[in-house]
Amino acid sequence: FGYHEKDRLGGKDPYSGSKGASELVIKSYVQSFFIKPQSNVRVAVGRAGNVIGGGDWAPYRIIPDCVRSIKKNSNLIIRNPKSTRPWQHVLEPLSGYLVLAQKTYESPQEYAEGWNFGPHDEDAKPVDWIINQMASKWEGKANWKLDKNSNPYEATSLKLDISKAKLRLGWQPGGFFVLSPKVLERITG
């Protein structure tokens, strides 16, 4: 299972805390300006798992960092190779956001709330799985080593419970891409 929309927001790490904080800001803004009888504005919040693809080549992204290390013939430094993440191509949550926007437009009272968009549970994979998939595409040229520095706390397993989006929105991951060896082949060429 995974994190459900009704779970308490926050976390022990700044990344999780910042996501919770942004939702609190959204909630306070909605309650301050849109919860009035004359307002027809409704706000829904979409939460995504770990998104890859879409030309995001910023630092501290697993696939771009792996490609850069291959090009430099250097080791990729990994903090937590066994940490499991809900990896998904950027088009996956985007498809959910579009369905949510349409439903919220058609029936604002029913859909103006938080929604999770992530992969199926079995598609959540550990970091080292991603790296090993990349290495297999580059004939073993993707090498990594464990970061032995003291790093901030990170959750070892992140998964989103997407049952609400599946049931109430009729959304399913896999409509565009699913993170699988075939998808990684598309991403990595």
Side-chain angles (χ1 to χ4, degrees), residues 20-32:
S22 66
E23 288 206 32
L24 290 173
V25 169
I26 292 167
K27 185 177 180 179
S28 66
Y29 195 85
V30 167
Q31 290 175 344
S32 295

Side-chain angles (χ1 to χ4, degrees), residues 3-5 9 15 18-20 22-24 26-27 30 42-51 88 90 92-102 104 111-118 160-162 164-165 169 171:
Y3 291 105
H4 190 272
E5 290 88 347
L9 296 173
Y15 181 73
S18 69
K19 287 183 173 244
S22 66
E23 288 206 32
L24 290 173
I26 292 167
K27 185 177 180 179
V30 167
R42 295 296 177 261
V43 177
V45 175
R47 304 174 187 142
N50 290 57
V51 177
Q88 59 190 338
V90 66
E92 292 296 332
L94 178 59
S95 70
Y97 298 159
L98 292 173
V99 170
L100 177 59
Q102 180 179 346
T104 303
Y111 296 101
E113 53 194 68
W115 298 85
N116 290 339
F117 299 100
L160 295 173
D161 180 340
I162 60 171
K164 178 178 160 184
L169 297 177
W171 176 82

Side-chain angles (χ1 to χ4, degrees), residues 4 7-8 50 57-58 68 78 86 90 104 111 119 131 144 149 174 189:
H4 190 272
D7 289 344
R8 185 171 173 251
N50 290 57
W57 289 94
R68 281 189 283 271
I78 300 296
V90 66
T104 303
Y111 296 101
I131 298 165
W144 64 273
N149 294 322

